[in-house]
Amino acid sequence: MLYARQAAAMLGPTLWKQVLRVHNTSSESRYPRSFGAVVFEMGGILWFYTSTGGTQSLSIRLGCAKRDEQDLGPLLSNIDPGFTHWEPDLGSYSPDEKSSVPPNACFIQSVELLRSSLSRGIHIERARLLSYYVSFPTGLRGHTVLYLETDKGPTVIDPLMQRWPLHVRGTNTGDPKSVAYFIRHDVALARWVPIAPNDFPVGLDESSHFSNN
């Protein structure tokens, strides 16, 4: 459960989230028999993070997050039919858990970078999350980065290489695939991650603890 708690802590205090222990009955699955996960809301949909599979969308329809929160069963079974039982994690939260980065957490790290950028005064309309996907023999593999419009021009910050921001030039910055292609030339698919204005309200104390409720 440690990785799930770490990921939840990194998401900050403003996003609804719930840490779960998921039990997997599938005999042919990439997921363990029992594991920690985080379900969280951003951009009007629910997302699902595990240390095994990273972050993926859980909601099927945009704008239905509140309803989806009340009935996770069908959504979890869409990810893996073996996800037939789960319960909330009732373990206590320690701020120290935020000090480590869990595996396959580029999406979560990008959310954390976005929150940090907004706290430094960058307007939400000048900051976006970009997810892009590359084809491999085993299927598509995704990665998420932070995209900012700064005084130095459009900039991409990869959470795995935060010390080396990439200044984007000569691309259509309104097109996510064009921006992603500037990062690497084998991108098969790219999209902007939806963000709602109330996901990151200005002025909230960033040191607040998250709640499983």
Side-chain angles (χ1 to χ4, degrees), residues 24-35 48-57 78-83 104 133 138-142:
N24 180 16
T25 60
S26 178
S27 58
E28 297 182 0
S29 174
R30 63 173 175 159
Y31 294 93
R33 301 290 288 179
S34 180
F35 60 93
F48 182 73
Y49 165 80
T50 68
S51 61
T52 300
T55 304
Q56 57 189 298
S57 57
N78 279 340
I79 294 178
D80 193 303
F83 297 172
N104 297 312
Y133 303 84
T138 55
L140 289 176
R141 296 178 62 180

Side-chain angles (χ1 to χ4, degrees), residues 51-128:
S51 61
T52 300
T55 304
Q56 57 189 298
S57 57
L58 185 61
S59 293
I60 299 175
R61 297 179 180 85
L62 184 65
C64 297
K66 297 302 181 184
R67 185 177 67 185
D68 290 343
E69 290 171 13
Q70 305 305 314
D71 188 14
L72 297 177
L75 303 176
L76 291 174
S77 63
N78 279 340
I79 294 178
D80 193 303
F83 297 172
T84 57
H85 179 65
W86 66 95
E87 65 266 355
D89 171 45
L90 301 179
S92 60
Y93 162 67
S94 168
D96 292 338
E97 289 175 349
K98 190 177 179 181
S99 62
S100 301
V101 177
N104 297 312
C106 62
F107 190 106
I108 305 288
Q109 288 176 276
S110 293
V111 172
E112 189 176 43
L113 286 172
L114 171 61
R115 183 182 299 281
S116 176
S117 298
L118 297 177
S119 70
R120 294 197 302 270
I122 293 180
H123 196 276
I124 186 65
E125 294 181 354
R126 299 173 64 87
R128 311 179 81 172

Side-chain angles (χ1 to χ4, degrees), residues 178-192:
S178 179
V179 175
Y181 195 76
F182 188 85
I183 301 172
R184 56 185 297 168
H185 295 312
D186 54 352
V187 171
L189 177 67
R191 62 186 176 89
W192 299 117

